[in-house]
Amino acid sequence: MAVTQFTTSPTRQHYDVVIVGGATSGSSIAWHLSQNPDFKGSVLVVERDPSLQYSATKASNNCMRQQFATPINVQIAQYAADFVKRYGDEFGPDPCVPNPPIRQFGYLYLSDSPAFTEILKKDQQLQESCGAATAILSAADVKSKYGWFNIEDIHSGSLNTKDEGCFNAFGMVEWMRRTACESTREATWVEYIDNEVVAMAVDQGRINSITLRSGEEITTSNVVNAAGTRAAQVAGLAGVRLPIEARPRYTYIFEVDEPLPHDLPLTIDPSGVHFRSYAAKNYLVGCPPIGPDHAVDVDDFSFAEDAWKDKIFPIISNRVPGFKSARVTDSWMGHYEFNTFDCNAIVGPHDNISNLFFCAGFSGHGSQQAPACGRAISELIVHGKFMTLDLGVLSYSRIPLGRPLTERAVI
């Protein structure tokens, strides 16, 4: 089944599970349900844009890292690496991610102060306790390993080159969609449609039915909100407020006269600009807007400013003098589904609507966090509890209770 050829009408009037959103998170849930031998039921995935042209998935920079500041995010990332290493060869060709399926050039956080170095050291200890291979480097060590950097203002670096780098994120989504539908077993059915949920009927603490843009009313036993940047709008259909908004992020692909002699790790400059190797001889660089990190309309993909000229080029040409010849060959603006409460994913049931689940709010980490979180939602639906990795700390209940689990390491 090609992702751009979904029918608009569902084949049934009732589904055991309706997933709102068929990009990375929604497809991970559908795939894990399809692979769970204890699941006997029907799944409807409703996606308003099957091409995913304007999704966070399509704009993803395809990154993979374990350098987080909360243990649960390190563990989630480790499952993602394992998932991609097991199945990545099946995602299809990607010239930027040759075999093996993770291009392990690593992540390198650069610190320009003793204070930030102390934060990186604390994070390194946490990551190491979870089994990550992060190491703290002196500025001289950074220069010795990556001689192209200007380190005049650098105090230290945090580097991990094991299971950190990039992977074929969009290929993963297409593969999960296809195989979820192809894996239909006896008494199990997964179906995608090109449509939109426009209403939900809530009664006595349960969603009994959803209404589609095309007019059909579908009854259901479970609803999962995996709608990405539109998750707050979807939650509103059930009378729920969700602290998620679309925030713009700029990405540019550039080439230089003389490429670096080997892969450039994804380098997070103290300015917040981050850049890495892209294909064989060009590079990717991204950044948030100039000035305040603000919300935009979910349909606004305009370049409101010249981030390349006014922010990115001055920084990368200073950090890597060989990039003074950099010229842009491609660019796009995408959205983070930003959780304004604590920058962490919201995974699990609503506290008052018993059959409403969330898998959203990834704040830029959705491509790598979706495998573990999709598995978790499937376990809740099938078994009523987490069976492998307990994601209870990411539950919706922390929001009304006012107990944030803040993830500081957001790029």
Side-chain angles (χ1 to χ4, degrees), residues 66-392:
Q66 297 175 49
Q67 292 189 66
F68 287 97
T70 50
I72 194 64
N73 285 335
V74 180
Q75 295 171 304
I76 286 171
Q78 289 169 335
Y79 177 69
D82 178 67
F83 186 89
V84 172
K85 285 189 289 188
R86 278 188 290 149
Y87 300 109
D89 289 337
E90 303 177 48
F91 296 168
D94 185 334
C96 298
V97 190
N99 287 336
I102 301 175
R103 187 175 175 184
Q104 300 192 48
F105 45 60
Y107 264 64
L108 173 64
Y109 279 83
L110 294 177
S111 167
D112 60 355
S113 70
F116 188 49
T117 295
E118 288 305 308
I119 292 174
L120 291 179
K121 287 181 177 179
K122 181 179 179 180
D123 290 349
Q124 184 274 335
Q125 293 169 358
L126 180 151
Q127 293 152 18
E128 185 178 52
S129 72
C130 296
T134 312
I136 300 298
L137 307 180
S138 68
D141 290 336
V142 171
K143 185 68 173 181
S144 175
K145 190 171 182 65
Y146 304 108
W148 51 72
F149 283 125
N150 169 16
I151 62 164
E152 289 181 356
D153 60 336
I154 296 302
H155 186 265
S156 69
S158 177
L159 175 69
N160 182 7
T161 58
K162 179 183 177 183
D163 293 341
E164 294 204 1
C166 70
F167 71 108
N168 185 2
F170 192 69
M172 179 181 72
V173 176
E174 292 185 309
W175 175 80
M176 287 193 297
R177 288 176 142 186
R178 184 183 69 255
T179 54
C181 295
E182 292 174 349
S183 297
T184 296
R185 307 181 308 273
E186 184 179 355
T188 302
W189 179 259
V190 177
E191 178 182 344
Y192 280 75
I193 60 171
D194 177 357
N195 215 310
E196 184 177 3
V197 175
V198 296
M200 296 182 184
V202 182
D203 182 48
Q204 297 183 346
R206 290 184 62 84
I207 298 173
N208 296 320
S209 66
I210 57 99
T211 302
L212 300 174
R213 180 183 59 212
S214 51
E216 295 96 333
E217 183 176 315
I218 304 298
T219 60
T220 182
S221 303
N222 300 282
V223 174
V224 183
N225 183 346
T229 56
R230 299 177 185 272
Q233 296 176 357
V234 171
L237 300 177
V240 175
R241 294 186 65 181
L242 208 59
I244 294 175
E245 61 188 28
R247 291 196 179 180
R249 292 295 183 270
Y250 302 118
T251 300
Y252 294 82
I253 307 300
F254 66 94
E255 60 184 15
V256 296
D257 290 342
E258 295 186 19
L260 301 176
H262 53 88
D263 273 349
L264 171 69
L266 195 147
T267 304
I268 300 96
D269 188 80
S271 65
V273 171
H274 54 277
F275 46 98
R276 65 167 175 85
S277 288
Y278 185 61
K281 296 182 179 180
N282 56 0
Y283 304 90
L284 177 151
V285 59
C287 72
I290 301 170
D293 190 6
H294 58 277
V296 296
D297 186 89
V298 293
D299 293 314
D300 180 4
F301 291 89
S302 62
F303 279 78
E305 55 202 356
D306 191 345
W308 173 263
K309 174 187 172 186
D310 296 334
K311 183 174 184 177
I312 291 175
F313 180 74
I315 289 170
I316 64 171
S317 59
N318 173 66
R319 187 62 60 208
V320 182
F323 285 174
K324 292 185 185 298
S325 64
R327 49 196 174 271
V328 175
T329 59
D330 195 7
S331 63
W332 60 86
M333 196 276 269
H335 294 157
Y336 276 4
E337 49 173 301
F338 202 87
N339 177 1
T340 60
F341 182 68
D342 60 9
C343 304
N344 252 321
I346 303 168
V347 182
H350 187 259
D351 53 348
N352 293 320
I353 303 176
S354 60
N355 65 338
L356 173 61
F357 299 86
F358 300 101
C359 193
F362 293 97
S363 303
H365 310 130
S367 289
Q368 68 166 321
Q369 293 190 325
C373 294
R375 178 184 62 176
I377 293 294
S378 73
E379 291 172 348
L380 287 175
I381 291 171
V382 177
H383 304 288
K385 61 182 180 179
F386 298 116
M387 300 294 290
T388 48
L389 182 60
D390 187 348
L391 300 189

Side-chain angles (χ1 to χ4, degrees), residues 17-98:
V17 182
V18 170
I19 301 172
V20 186
T24 314
S25 300
S27 292
S28 176
I29 298 163
W31 186 87
H32 280 89
L33 284 170
S34 76
Q35 303 300 305
N36 190 325
D38 295 322
F39 179 69
K40 305 289 192 297
S42 53
V43 179
L44 178 68
V45 184
V46 184
E47 172 53 52
R48 66 189 303 278
D49 174 25
S51 72
L52 304 183
Q53 183 63 36
Y54 296 104
S55 66
T57 293
K58 186 68 173 179
S60 170
N61 288 349
N62 304 338
C63 295
M64 174 87 64
R65 67 176 162 114
Q66 297 175 49
Q67 292 189 66
F68 287 97
T70 50
I72 194 64
N73 285 335
V74 180
Q75 295 171 304
I76 286 171
Q78 289 169 335
Y79 177 69
D82 178 67
F83 186 89
V84 172
K85 285 189 289 188
R86 278 188 290 149
Y87 300 109
D89 289 337
E90 303 177 48
F91 296 168
D94 185 334
C96 298
V97 190

